[in-house]
Amino acid sequence: MLLKKIIHSIIIFTNSIMDSNYQVRRMSNAATAVQADSLPLAKVCPDGRSGWLYEKNNGAQKFNYYFYSGAHENMMMKRISSIYFVGSIDAWTDQQSELPFFVVYTKMKMDGTDAGSWYHSKHVYALHKDSQLVRPGEKCCFYALDMPHKAESVHGHRHLSFMTRIDDGEYNPDDEVLAVSLQSDSAAAQCSVYIENMGMEMDSFARRVGDSIIDMKLIGITMTPRITHEA
């Protein structure tokens, strides 16, 4: 009886830490907000994978998937402990431009030091291809800063760290975060990226706000109702 209770508790705990706290279905209103100016839009994976598949067609097309807005929060750069996505690089010919990257934007200061027309500074976290092994189609946990703690993100996957940071404007750990996104390079000749989850982990940044996480599950497959016929 005691063993049964222990097993039951483990199952409940495992399920609770593996559930995503955000879910976005392809072609929904929420998906429109996440994809912003991305072209083309995410598509269903022909191999039956459940997430979003991005495939560039031509020209300067790229994706910008936004998963955090700090417009009504006061979280500083130094409070971000991990940024990550779980998925794969499907098209890979050893070109840096084929790899996605994370971008963190900070809030404008309007004091003459802003680097952009709508942000103060922009900080790119990228994968250095010559120090990591990239295999096309292999589902991995790609992350910047610290490895994420969420079990679903790290269990059973290889972990590839985005260790290169490129700053547009001054890097100040006390600057407040405006937005965070996962993006691709418009200069890439080809780009095919599959994403199941993306998000970030944050240390406490306000009173009554403990450590928190955004884990956004991207759903590409449209579920159709199952019709049964009774005899």
Side-chain angles (χ1 to χ4, degrees):
M1 187 68 176
L2 178 59
L3 180 60
K4 235 187 211 184
K5 285 183 178 178
I6 292 172
I7 293 172
H8 181 65
S9 298
I10 291 172
I11 291 171
I12 291 174
F13 174 74
T14 302
N15 287 339
S16 69
I17 62 174
M18 290 184 72
D19 285 342
S20 297
N21 55 2
Y22 292 88
Q23 179 171 293
V24 180
R25 189 177 296 278
R26 193 183 66 89
M27 303 303 290
S28 67
N29 290 335
T32 300
V34 168
Q35 294 179 95
D37 57 350
S38 302
L39 283 175
L41 298 178
K43 59 195 289 187
V44 173
C45 175
D47 295 320
R49 294 175 296 183
S50 62
W52 290 8
L53 177 63
Y54 175 85
E55 289 187 323
K56 178 174 182 173
N57 292 326
N58 52 57
Q61 292 178 335
K62 60 175 288 188
F63 71 81
N64 298 314
Y65 292 169
Y66 290 88
F67 54 88
Y68 174 79
S69 170
H72 304 295
E73 299 182 4
N74 59 357
M75 183 185 68
M76 293 180 285
M77 287 285 296
K78 63 185 179 184
R79 299 302 183 189
I80 302 176
S81 59
S82 180
I83 313 173
Y84 65 91
F85 85 91
V86 176
S88 61
I89 314 300
D90 285 0
W92 177 241
T93 60
D94 201 36
Q95 299 298 312
Q96 185 71 39
S97 61
E98 296 170 347
L99 297 171
F101 47 88
F102 299 109
V103 182
V104 180
Y105 300 92
T106 62
K107 296 179 183 178
M108 295 188 76
K109 295 186 177 180
M110 308 296 289
D111 60 359
T113 64
D114 295 323
S117 59
W118 57 274
Y119 59 83
H120 173 65
S121 60
K122 179 174 73 172
H123 309 285
V124 173
Y125 294 88
L127 181 72
H128 185 257
K129 73 178 184 67
D130 294 329
S131 63
Q132 302 276 356
L133 173 64
V134 177
R135 291 188 176 123
E138 180 189 7
K139 188 162 94 169
C140 297
C141 175
F142 301 86
Y143 70 94
L145 303 173
D146 295 335
M147 186 183 299
H149 293 93
K150 191 170 188 297
E152 187 179 2
S153 301
V154 299
H155 180 68
H157 307 310
R158 247 184 352 114
H159 314 126
L160 280 72
S161 177
F162 287 35
M163 295 184 289
T164 300
R165 193 186 80 212
I166 305 166
D167 300 320
D168 176 15
E170 177 194 15
Y171 177 83
N172 184 341
D174 291 326
D175 282 347
E176 292 187 4
V177 177
L178 175 63
V180 183
S181 68
L182 177 66
Q183 302 185 15
S184 67
D185 190 342
S186 61
Q190 65 170 356
C191 179
S192 180
V193 178
Y194 168 74
I195 305 166
E196 280 187 8
N197 292 69
M198 60 183 181
M200 66 180 188
E201 297 177 354
M202 297 151 280
D203 298 329
S204 176
F205 60 88
R207 287 187 63 190
R208 297 184 295 278
V209 178
D211 295 350
S212 59
I213 182 173
I214 290 175
D215 186 70
M216 185 177 291
K217 187 173 185 64
L218 303 182
I219 301 174
I221 297 174
T222 303
M223 303 299 290
T224 53
R226 188 176 177 181
I227 301 173
T228 58
H229 299 278
E230 294 183 3

